Amino acid sequence: MSMDRREFIKIAGLTSLVGAGASGAFQLLEPGVLDAATHEEHGHGDAAHGQAEEQASGPKVRWAMTVDVRKCEDPEVVKRIVTACHTAHNVPDFGNPKDEVKWIWADTYEHAFTDSANEFMDKSIEHLPFLLLCNHCDDPPCVRVCPTKATFKRPDGVVAMDYHRCIGCRFCMAGCPYGSRSFNWRDPRTVLEGKPYNPNFPTRMRGVVEKCNFCVERIWKGLQPACVEAAPDVLTFGNLADPDSNVRQILRVRVSMRRKPELGTKPSVFYLV
Amino acid sequence: MYDANKILIGLAIFLGLMTYPVWSGLGRAVQAPKPEIDTPIIQKMPEKKCVENTHFMKTTHMQLINEWRDDALRKGEREYTNARGEKVLMSLQLTCMNCHSNKDKFCDSCHNYAGVNPYCWDCHLTPKQMKEGI
Amino acid sequence: MIEKALKGEPRYWAWIFFLLSIIGVGFGCYLYQLSYGLGITGMSRDVSWGVYIAQFTYLVGVAASAVMLVIPMYLHHFKKYAKVVIFGEFLAIAAVTMCLLFIIVDIGQPARVLNVVLHPTPGSILFWDMVVLNGYLLINVIVGWNTLLADKKNVPTPGWVKPFIYLSIPWAVSIHTVTAFLYAGLPGRHLWLTAVMAPRFLASAFASGPALLILLLLLVRRFSKFDAGFDAIQTLAKTICYAMIINVFLLLMEFFTAYYSHIPGHIHGLEYLFFGLHGHDNLVPFMWTSAILGVLGIFLLLVPKLRMRYDLLAVACGAIFLATYIDKGVGLVIGGFVPNPFEGVTQYYPTFPELMITLGIWSIGALILTILYKIAVSVREETA
């Protein structure tokens, strides 16, 4: 099955001009098919065009992710996911907790769902690794507190960072209730030297905050996020605003949880248990 | 005037220091830079043209790159339509430096001459880094 | 008037050069921080604000406290403050300057600090903090300088200064309220998410600032011919006492809400600070020192016989200053990050260069204060 980017964007609902009939096709795709369709580095399709229209007619896209926790049991799977993301985005590994920078990582249930601890819970869940990343909240506190709009919410729901503008005040780190943000306490390039890297993605500089960007540089091209591509059976990425999308279909039939729902941030990352 | 001597000497020293950049360069001819466009991709172009015309690029590339940055990153619009009606991907690393792969002989030659130090390369990879590693 | 700061005894110059040398060391450490990054500090992913922001928070309170002199003087015509109020305003100038410097050294990209102005974001409390702090600095420079100038010439303060004096009253309240809002509006930081944050900030500010001011006035009394006057100092001491009692009362409210409701998140922050959490207790001795000093200070200030003795008054003010400093300048900011969003505990220890930069900024504050007080004292001595 092959499809060009234009078609993907239509199907993903990026443009309102497309007939409703086409929008059901997205979730029929196997994850990974998308990247086979569009992988040339210099391509530039109609995404920009589509987004402009989308802005005019209200949000038609809200990107979201589901994490099938039971499929994370194998530590190799977690490692594959983390490595895929951190290599794709040139995330530095300082090797010590004080300087640590991370976009996606695994932690226990107890740490991920701090207010939902249940001592009588199924022991198998207790020891499962929960993948943690930026929740791309619908009502993100980090965006609210940022004094320069260096972190902002895009029309498609992605909470993005403008590293050119960040002054490094770290108010967003205090504001994020999920511990999703890291600060570059040192020059990240000192530890990226000689490591596997992505030549088409920048690094960051010392003194700015960074975090998961939901792979905006990939979804724009019709690709799945790097983590989803690394483990398509664990992670599903799709449009929450479309009632027929892959993620909506999953959420309809599976029991899902979001982290700290009582805070009203409405995360876009759902955990399937 | 009290302490006229001291004040005048002080003023002379102050003026001397303030104008240092002007008189220190006197009589020294520094060649104006000639940024090279001799790269494999530009050589292969039938008609050598940048995103916009050469005069515009010389005078306004910094504003253009700033606009591209905000459009691509903040608005998610990655396509630029130039004066000739052509569509270009807005990307420093993937568009600009794809042709101008000789950063040291192109970007740096003028930037060093003008004494400017753009911080693009603190994060973005140079063509050399893209090929050989960070 | 500035020439008055250029004439002094050897010990004045010795003090100035002592401060300058500490500033030099602090500046050296800051250059190191600029070249290496904030990694030279003890801050981490979990405790992402440390000693710098803690000092900032504390000093906003010291700056705001000038209003405790301005209100009695200008709204109630309490004439005994007439000669003292300038010292409160100059203390505010030094304190706000230090606040701004602590922000500068804390941010990762200081060269981009103007982005706060270039991309104004009214939804961000930090934006408003920048506005009110700079405004407060300006107001106090205008008011302080012009009242002193008028005093020197033995004429009444010019009429156009009056509106600025009245404006300074709500403005002082605003700087500390906005600073409290930096913390009190963050979801998921239980220790900070409390409606009494701003009132408690103001109460502790109105205790700590005047306590520091009394200590300074006692020093001035010792080293110069200017005496603030027994009545003025005693009234100020009563202000400190009441404010500190309210501060302690509000702290006890926090304990009640957390421990009676039994909500773990609300308990954890206080537990870490005062009893230790999961075996992590590096701040426990500090917090109890603060509690004991606070009670001691209140006791000494509450009993008139004790308060009226200058030596015991100095002890009381020192105790209150330290108690509020530990409470707000150490416990509050760091305690807010413990436990982290994953209920884990990462302890924070400031590093040597971090402490030297901090000390350097305090020295800059002391230098500004010394020069301003020197001018004010010289004018007072002349007109006395």
Side-chain angles (χ1 to χ4, degrees):
Chain A
M1 182 179 173
S2 81
M3 61 191 300
D4 64 23
R5 185 180 307 102
R6 168 175 285 269
E7 194 175 352
F8 163 78
I9 288 156
K10 284 176 183 171
I11 292 167
L14 268 170
T15 160
S16 56
L17 296 176
V18 185
S23 63
F26 179 56
Q27 59 275 10
L28 299 176
L29 288 164
E30 288 291 323
V33 172
L34 295 171
D35 53 317
T38 52
H39 54 73
E40 83 271 38
E41 204 49 70
H42 294 258
H44 38 89
D46 279 2
H49 185 56
Q51 281 204 345
E53 276 164 3
E54 174 264 305
Q55 273 171 333
S57 59
K60 286 278 192 296
V61 183
R62 182 181 160 201
W63 293 115
M65 188 182 281
T66 62
V67 183
D68 198 334
V69 177
R70 296 235 180 237
K71 289 181 182 160
C72 296
E73 217 163 354
D74 182 1
E76 282 304 312
V77 172
V78 172
K79 203 177 154 194
R80 193 166 73 230
I81 291 172
V82 173
T83 311
C85 167
H86 287 185
T87 312
H89 299 110
N90 301 325
V91 176
D93 177 10
F94 288 102
N96 72 68
K98 198 177 99 56
D99 294 326
E100 188 176 32
V101 174
K102 53 190 177 185
W103 285 26
I104 185 166
W105 69 100
D107 207 335
T108 60
Y109 172 80
E110 211 188 350
H111 289 161
F113 293 87
T114 46
D115 285 333
S116 325
N118 172 355
E119 65 230 79
F120 309 110
M121 199 178 67
D122 181 353
K123 289 288 172 236
S124 66
I125 289 190
E126 209 177 327
H127 299 292
L128 280 177
F130 280 70
L131 282 168
L132 304 179
L133 64 156
C134 172
N135 273 308
H136 296 279
C137 304
D138 198 31
D139 188 1
C142 54
V143 170
R144 195 156 60 235
V145 300
C146 178
T148 61
K149 303 186 191 84
T151 190
F152 56 98
K153 196 176 140 211
R154 305 192 340 156
D156 61 1
V158 175
V159 176
M161 274 294 301
D162 186 343
Y163 303 113
H164 311 90
R165 190 180 288 186
C166 176
I167 61 170
C169 71
R170 309 190 295 294
F171 205 0
C172 55
M173 293 177 79
C176 175
Y178 303 104
S180 299
R181 291 172 164 270
S182 309
F183 183 71
N184 285 281
W185 300 103
R186 299 161 50 185
D187 183 356
R189 287 200 169 177
T190 54
V191 293
L192 285 167
E193 242 169 88
K195 298 273 172 62
Y197 72 111
N198 177 0
N200 295 328
F201 199 80
T203 67
R204 264 70 59 205
M205 66 198 297
R206 176 185 65 212
V208 297
V209 173
E210 67 179 87
K211 67 168 195 74
C212 158
N213 66 347
F214 248 13
C215 281
V216 289
E217 83 284 4
R218 294 171 60 92
I219 57 177
W220 160 76
K221 287 188 279 183
L223 298 176
Q224 296 276 355
C227 55
V228 182
E229 192 180 88
D233 51 332
V234 180
L235 305 170
T236 309
F237 184 78
N239 179 8
L240 207 58
D242 172 6
D244 299 318
S245 70
N246 52 356
V247 286
R248 287 289 291 273
Q249 291 196 349
I250 291 170
L251 292 172
R252 253 198 296 276
V253 294
R254 297 281 305 269
V255 178
S256 61
M257 301 191 298
R258 293 196 278 190
R259 291 173 67 201
K260 306 189 183 182
E262 72 278 10
L263 301 180
T265 56
K266 299 192 230 35
S268 300
V269 176
F270 297 79
Y271 294 88
L272 312 170
V273 286
Chain B
M1 196 156 84
Y2 299 111
D3 295 330
N5 282 339
K6 281 183 198 164
I7 290 170
L8 288 176
I9 293 169
L11 269 178
I13 294 173
F14 174 75
L15 279 175
L17 286 175
M18 282 300 285
T19 52
Y20 171 79
V22 177
W23 53 260
S24 66
L26 277 182
R28 269 197 288 153
V30 180
Q31 284 280 301
K34 289 198 187 97
E36 275 183 27
I37 52 166
D38 180 25
T39 70
I41 290 187
I42 297 176
Q43 285 302 322
K44 271 183 228 152
M45 290 171 109
E47 189 193 341
K48 293 184 187 19
K49 53 184 184 182
C50 196
V51 170
E52 297 285 3
N53 68 55
T54 308
H55 176 72
F56 179 88
M57 293 313 293
K58 265 187 190 161
T59 56
T60 322
H61 67 278
M62 40 301 217
Q63 281 99 319
L64 185 75
I65 291 173
N66 266 2
E67 277 165 29
W68 280 19
R69 175 189 73 195
D70 286 351
D71 284 351
L73 184 65
R74 302 189 68 87
K75 295 184 193 156
E77 293 167 12
R78 298 191 184 241
E79 205 173 70
Y80 174 75
T81 309
N82 65 16
R84 302 188 291 266
E86 298 155 342
K87 290 185 193 311
V88 186
L89 172 73
M90 292 194 258
S91 170
L92 174 68
Q93 256 179 256
L94 304 183
T95 302
C96 306
M97 305 313 288
N98 185 47
C99 294
H100 297 288
S101 50
N102 54 345
K103 174 180 170 282
D104 46 343
K105 288 187 179 143
F106 185 74
C107 311
D108 296 350
S109 70
C110 278
H111 289 161
N112 291 344
Y113 177 76
V116 293
N117 188 17
Y119 63 80
C120 311
W121 314 107
D122 288 355
C123 298
H124 289 279
L125 306 185
T126 62
K128 189 163 178 270
Q129 284 168 325
M130 287 176 72
K131 227 190 296 169
E132 295 167 16
I134 296 161
Chain C
M1 282 194 294
I2 200 97
E3 75 281 356
K4 303 212 180 302
L6 298 175
K7 279 179 224 143
E9 300 163 51
R11 69 180 172 194
Y12 168 74
W13 288 109
W15 171 243
I16 295 278
F17 280 104
F18 169 70
L19 290 176
L20 283 173
S21 61
I22 298 179
I23 293 168
V25 175
F27 188 71
C29 290
Y30 182 60
L31 290 180
Y32 173 43
Q33 180 182 300
L34 271 184
S35 70
Y36 183 89
L38 281 159
I40 65 151
T41 69
M43 291 185 273
S44 62
R45 202 177 183 283
D46 286 333
V47 184
S48 48
W49 281 339
V51 112
Y52 299 149
I53 291 296
Q55 309 302 302
F56 156 78
T57 310
Y58 184 69
L59 287 165
V60 174
V62 172
S65 71
V67 77
M68 286 291 101
L69 297 162
V70 173
I71 290 177
M73 170 69 199
Y74 291 100
L75 293 188
H76 300 283
H77 305 287
F78 184 71
K79 292 291 174 208
K80 282 173 181 144
Y81 278 171
K83 297 231 174 300
V84 186
V85 75
I86 188 77
F87 291 94
E89 282 156 357
F90 281 172
L91 178 59
I93 291 173
V96 179
T97 310
M98 287 158 77
C99 289
L100 296 172
L101 287 173
F102 274 116
I103 294 283
I104 300 285
V105 298
D106 186 68
I107 61 178
Q109 285 292 334
R112 296 185 194 158
V113 69
L114 280 179
N115 278 2
V116 180
V117 184
L118 296 174
H119 307 286
T121 314
S124 171
I125 302 296
L126 202 54
F127 168 76
W128 288 108
D129 218 27
M130 184 269 305
V131 171
V132 293
L133 281 175
N134 283 298
Y136 192 66
L137 180 60
L138 191 67
I139 290 174
N140 275 288
V141 169
I142 292 173
V143 172
W145 197 255
N146 283 293
T147 43
L148 191 65
L149 207 59
D151 268 12
K152 186 176 177 254
K153 294 177 187 154
N154 240 332
V155 293
T157 311
W160 64 268
V161 179
K162 277 283 164 68
F164 286 100
I165 293 172
Y166 294 127
L167 181 64
S168 79
I169 295 169
W171 207 288
V173 177
S174 85
I175 61 168
H176 220 25
T177 304
V178 172
T179 305
F181 285 177
L182 288 177
Y183 301 99
L186 302 179
R189 304 276 176 192
H190 296 293
L191 187 71
W192 295 342
L193 193 73
T194 164
V196 301
M197 179 73 87
R200 194 156 106 75
F201 265 32
L202 286 167
S204 84
F206 296 157
S208 64
L212 179 59
L213 186 60
I214 286 188
L215 290 174
L216 291 168
L217 288 174
L218 292 178
L219 278 176
V220 166
R221 185 170 168 272
R222 191 155 161 203
F223 288 112
S224 81
K225 277 174 257 154
F226 174 72
D227 187 349
F230 180 78
D231 290 344
I233 286 181
Q234 286 300 310
T235 311
L236 205 49
K238 285 178 216 164
T239 306
I240 299 169
C241 187
Y242 285 125
M244 191 61 186
I245 288 170
I246 296 170
N247 179 34
V248 172
F249 175 73
L250 291 172
L251 176 65
L252 294 174
M253 298 297 97
E254 298 280 16
F255 271 96
F256 173 79
T257 305
Y259 281 87
Y260 197 80
S261 71
H262 268 235
I263 298 174
H266 290 271
I267 294 175
H268 285 157
L270 291 171
E271 195 173 333
Y272 168 67
L273 289 178
F274 285 91
F275 310 104
L277 187 65
H278 310 318
H280 300 282
D281 54 4
N282 67 343
L283 292 184
V284 171
F286 288 97
M287 296 315 287
W288 284 105
T289 307
S290 163
I292 291 164
L293 287 175
V295 171
L296 173 75
I298 289 175
F299 176 73
L300 291 176
L301 291 175
L302 207 51
V303 182
K305 266 190 189 157
L306 302 177
R307 181 179 66 221
M308 286 177 193
R309 285 181 51 182
Y310 274 165
D311 51 349
L312 287 180
L313 179 64
V315 172
C317 288
I320 298 273
F321 180 77
L322 274 177
T324 49
Y325 176 80
I326 295 169
D327 173 32
K328 211 151 88 187
V330 179
L332 184 107
V333 173
I334 294 152
F337 287 106
V338 183
N340 67 14
F342 313 101
E343 293 291 334
V345 178
T346 303
Q347 298 203 93
Y348 159 82
Y349 298 92
T351 61
F352 176 74
E354 191 178 6
L355 288 175
M356 286 318 295
I357 293 172
T358 305
L359 210 56
I361 295 179
W362 273 95
S363 301
I364 293 176
L367 183 67
I368 294 172
L369 196 72
T370 304
I371 290 170
L372 290 176
Y373 272 28
K374 176 80 169 62
I375 294 171
V377 167
S378 307
V379 169
R380 288 279 178 273
E381 282 174 339
E382 264 176 28
T383 55

